[in-house]
Amino acid sequence: MMQLFGKLGPTRLIAALAATALASALLFALVFRMGSEEKALLFSGVGMQEAAAITAQLEQAGVAFELRGDGSSIFVPRSEVLSARMMLAGEGLPSRGGVGYEIFDNADALGQTQFQQNINRLRALEGELARTIASLEGIEAARVHLVLPERQLFERERQDPSASIVLALRRDELTASQVRAIRNLVASAVPGLSSHQVSIIDETGRLLAAASEGDTALAEEGEARQAATEERIRRTVSDIVDGIVGVGNSRVQVTAELDFNRISETSERFDPEGRVPRSTVSVEEETETADSSSEGATTASANVPDGAGGAAGDGGERSTTSRTEETTNFEISRTTRTEIIEGGRLRRLAVAVAVDGVSTPGADGAAPTWTPRSAEDIAQIATLVRSAVGFDQSRGDVVEVVSVRFDRPEIPAPEAEPAVSLATADIMRLVEVGAALIAALALVFFVVRPLIGGLVRGGAANGAAAALEGPATALAGGSAAAGLPAAGAAAALLPGGPANDSGVALGSVQGRVNASSVQQIAEVVQKNPEESAQIIRSWLNTAS
C-alpha cells in the first residue's frame, strides 16, 4: 500500500482523496435526507398577509416550516401538522381574508362613534358568512358583500337589504340545489333579507344566481319547485323498479305540470232550517176613557177636584181598552268559509319507464341471448308505478312502461388490487428517495470510480516504466554486444522465433540475447499489459 501511495505521487494522491471525500459527502447527504422527517402540507392557497401571520406563530412556537409555491403553501413536519393546526386555530388563523365577530373582542366601544360600530358589525357579519360558505364542500374561498340600508326618521319608503357573493370553486361548477342552499343560508342570517335579493358569481365572473323581484322571482321559485317535485317522484319510481329488475336495468323520466296560481275564496251560506230565537219582546197596554159631558152650567166648583162639581159628573160614560203585543226575532244559521289555495298543485303527471329485458348466458362461451320482459311483468310494474305516484286518470295522468334493450358498453375486467396499498405521499417519498439513490450511485460509478482508477493507473504506468527500464537496457546492451540493432530488442517480444533454455534465436537476425533478460521483460509485460502496450506504442512512435 505504501509503495502504491509512493508510486501515485502527491498530486494524484490529493486528487484521489478529494474525490473520495466528495463521494462520501454526497452519500452522507443522501442518508441524512432519507433519515429526516417528511414535510406535510399545513395550509395552501393562503394570502401573503395570512402567510406572514402564520409563519410568525410557527416561529414563536418553535415549529420548523417551509414555504413553497410563491409562499402560498406552508409545509411542516408530518408529526406536527395536527398540533400546528390546533395552535393556529386558537389564534384565529387562517382567517381566509375575513374578520368575524372577534373584531369586538378587543375593541374599545367607549371611543367609537355609531358609524364605526355599524361598520364593525357589518364587517363581522360578512366575515362570518364568508367563513361558513367557505367551509362547504367544493368551495375554496368566499367573499360576501352586504347592503343593509338604515331607515331614516320620518321616512316612508323602505329599501330592502341585498347581498352579493363571490365564490372560488374547487371544481367546475355547483349544482342548482347547492346555489339555492347558499342563497337561503345568507338570507336566513341577515334580518329582512330575501333569498331573491342575493346574487352569486364565481371567480371567472360566471353568474350562478341573479337577484330578482316580482314575477321573475315567482317564476324562478316555480321552476325550482317543479324540478324538485319531478326529482322526488323519479327517485320514488326508480327505487321500486330497480328492486324488481335490478339496479341499472331501468330508466325513469317524470314530467309534472304544476299550477302556481294562488286562489283566495270566501263563501257565506245561510241555512233556513236552522232558525234560532235571538230575542223576544212583549208589550201590554191598557187604556180607560170617560165621557165628561153634563147638563148643568159650568161653574168654578166643577173644576175643583173633589168638589161638588165633580160629583155631578159621575154620571158620564166610561170605556176601557187593553192591548198585548209580542215580537220574537229569529237568527238564521250562517256559515262563512275563507279558503286560500297556494300555488304548486299538481295539474298533470306523465311518467315514462324503460326497463331492460332478460339476458341469458350462452352455452360454451356463446354470446348471451336477450329476451324482452313478459306482458305480465310489464303490467305489474305499471300497477306499482301508478300506485306510487298517485295516478289520477281524471286529471289526465299518463304512465307508460316498456321493455327495450339497453345499449351497454363492454366493461373491462377489474384489475386486481395490490396487496400493499400506499398513499400518494408515501409513493412520492419512495420515488424521491429512489431518484436520489440512483443519482448517488451513478456519481460513484461513472464519475468517482473512473477518476480514481485513472489516477491509480497513471501511477502504476510510471512504476511499470521504471521496472522495464532495467531489462530494456540489458536487452539493448545484449543486442549491441551481439551486433543487433536497437529495433531487434523489441522484436524479441514477438512470437515466431524458436527458443531454448540457453538463449533465444531472433528470426532473420544474427546473434543471441540473454534468456534471463527476456524472461524478466515477459513477466513485467504479463503483470502490466496496458502499460507495456503504451510503452511499446511510444517506442514505435519514436522509431517512426
Side-chain angles (χ1 to χ4, degrees):
M1 184 65 67
M2 297 302 296
Q3 294 178 357
L4 179 60
F5 288 162
K7 293 177 182 179
L8 289 177
T11 304
R12 291 186 176 86
L13 181 60
I14 293 174
L17 293 177
T20 304
L22 178 61
S24 301
L26 292 176
L27 290 176
F28 176 79
L30 176 61
V31 173
F32 180 78
R33 172 68 178 171
M34 294 174 60
S36 62
E37 187 176 1
E38 183 186 1
K39 294 289 192 302
L41 180 64
L42 181 64
F43 293 112
S44 63
V46 296
M48 289 298 176
Q49 184 176 0
E50 287 190 338
I54 291 174
T55 53
Q57 292 293 334
L58 293 177
E59 289 180 352
Q60 184 177 358
V63 179
F65 63 89
E66 181 181 351
L67 296 177
R68 300 178 187 175
D70 298 333
S72 60
S73 300
I74 304 175
F75 288 78
V76 297
R78 173 172 288 186
S79 61
E80 299 182 1
V81 171
L82 296 180
S83 59
R85 287 179 179 175
M86 294 179 64
M87 182 265 294
L88 294 173
E91 300 295 333
L93 294 173
S95 61
R96 294 299 181 187
V99 60
Y101 285 116
E102 65 271 8
I103 192 175
F104 298 106
D105 294 342
N106 300 322
D108 187 6
L110 184 61
Q112 290 185 352
T113 62
Q114 183 68 24
F115 176 77
Q116 291 176 336
Q117 292 180 356
N118 293 337
I119 291 297
N120 288 339
R121 173 178 173 271
L122 183 62
R123 290 179 59 194
L125 187 57
E126 291 177 346
E128 292 293 337
L129 288 174
R131 291 176 182 177
T132 303
I133 297 173
S135 64
L136 301 178
E137 181 182 1
I139 299 176
E140 183 177 356
R143 291 200 65 183
V144 179
H145 302 280
L146 299 177
V147 178
L148 304 179
E150 295 183 2
R151 185 174 182 178
Q152 303 297 331
L153 189 62
F154 304 112
E155 184 179 7
R156 294 183 178 180
E157 297 182 356
R158 180 178 179 273
Q159 185 178 0
D160 295 331
S162 59
S164 302
I165 304 174
V166 181
L167 302 178
L169 306 179
R170 289 193 180 98
R171 54 193 183 195
D172 294 338
E173 60 182 358
L174 298 177
T175 61
S177 60
Q178 290 175 324
V179 174
R180 290 196 302 270
I182 295 175
R183 297 180 72 177
N184 292 330
L185 171 67
V186 176
S188 302
V190 179
L193 179 61
S194 173
S195 61
H196 302 294
Q197 295 296 326
V198 179
S199 301
I200 303 177
I201 64 173
D202 60 5
E203 70 276 11
T204 62
R206 181 176 52 183
L207 183 63
L208 303 180
S212 56
E213 296 181 358
D215 297 338
T216 305
L218 294 177
E220 291 181 356
E221 184 179 357
E223 292 178 358
R225 292 183 62 181
Q226 181 175 356
T229 301
E230 293 177 349
E231 179 63 20
R232 177 178 56 82
I233 297 175
R234 190 194 66 81
R235 286 199 304 266
T236 302
V237 176
S238 296
D239 292 341
I240 294 177
V241 178
D242 288 345
I244 299 174
V245 301
V247 178
N249 293 327
S250 66
R251 300 292 185 271
V252 179
Q253 292 296 331
V254 177
T255 301
E257 296 182 6
L258 302 181
D259 185 5
F260 294 102
N261 296 327
R262 188 175 184 271
I263 302 174
S264 178
E265 180 181 353
T266 302
S267 61
E268 188 173 2
R269 187 179 63 178
F270 295 90
D271 186 9
E273 300 297 333
R275 295 180 299 174
V276 178
R278 186 180 63 176
S279 62
T280 301
V281 178
S282 298
V283 177
E284 293 183 359
E285 182 180 358
E286 185 176 353
T287 306
E288 182 178 357
T289 61
D291 188 5
S292 57
S293 61
S294 61
E295 295 179 357
T298 301
T299 60
S301 60
N303 295 326
V304 176
D306 298 333
D314 291 341
E317 295 182 358
R318 295 179 178 270
S319 63
T320 303
T321 303
S322 62
R323 183 175 65 88
T324 301
E325 180 180 354
E326 182 178 356
T327 303
T328 303
N329 296 323
F330 291 91
E331 186 71 27
I332 301 176
S333 176
R334 181 181 63 177
T335 302
T336 302
R337 182 171 177 267
T338 301
E339 182 180 5
I340 299 177
I341 303 175
E342 296 289 345
R345 293 184 303 171
L346 186 60
R347 180 184 298 172
R348 183 175 179 272
L349 183 64
V351 181
V353 180
V355 295
D356 197 3
V358 180
S359 297
T360 304
D364 299 332
T369 58
W370 182 88
T371 56
R373 296 187 180 272
S374 62
E376 182 180 357
D377 294 341
I378 297 298
Q380 291 178 355
I381 294 175
T383 302
L384 292 175
V385 172
R386 291 189 183 95
S387 300
V389 301
F391 179 81
D392 188 357
Q393 189 175 3
S394 61
R395 66 186 179 189
D397 293 353
V398 178
V399 174
E400 293 290 342
V401 180
V402 296
S403 178
V404 294
R405 186 171 185 174
F406 288 2
D407 184 12
R408 300 181 183 275
E410 296 183 359
I411 301 176
E415 299 180 356
E417 297 184 356
V420 180
S421 179
L422 298 177
T424 304
D426 298 333
I427 295 176
M428 296 303 296
R429 179 66 174 173
L430 293 177
V431 171
E432 182 182 357
V433 172
L437 182 59
I438 293 174
L441 294 177
L443 178 65
V444 171
F445 284 100
F446 296 103
V447 178
V448 178
R449 182 181 178 184
L451 179 61
I452 297 177
L455 295 175
V456 173
R457 285 194 298 271
N462 293 336
L468 290 173
E469 184 177 358
T473 303
L475 178 61
S479 300
L484 296 174
L493 300 176
L494 299 175
N500 52 32
D501 295 339
S502 60
V504 177
L506 302 177
S508 68
V509 179
Q510 299 291 333
R512 298 178 66 85
V513 181
N514 293 333
S516 61
S517 299
V518 176
Q519 186 176 3
Q520 187 176 2
I521 293 174
E523 293 177 355
V524 173
V525 170
Q526 291 178 356
K527 294 180 179 179
N528 303 281
E530 296 181 0
E531 290 78 3
S532 302
Q534 293 179 1
I535 294 172
I536 293 174
R537 289 192 189 95
S538 64
W539 287 352
L540 294 176
N541 292 332
T542 304
S544 60

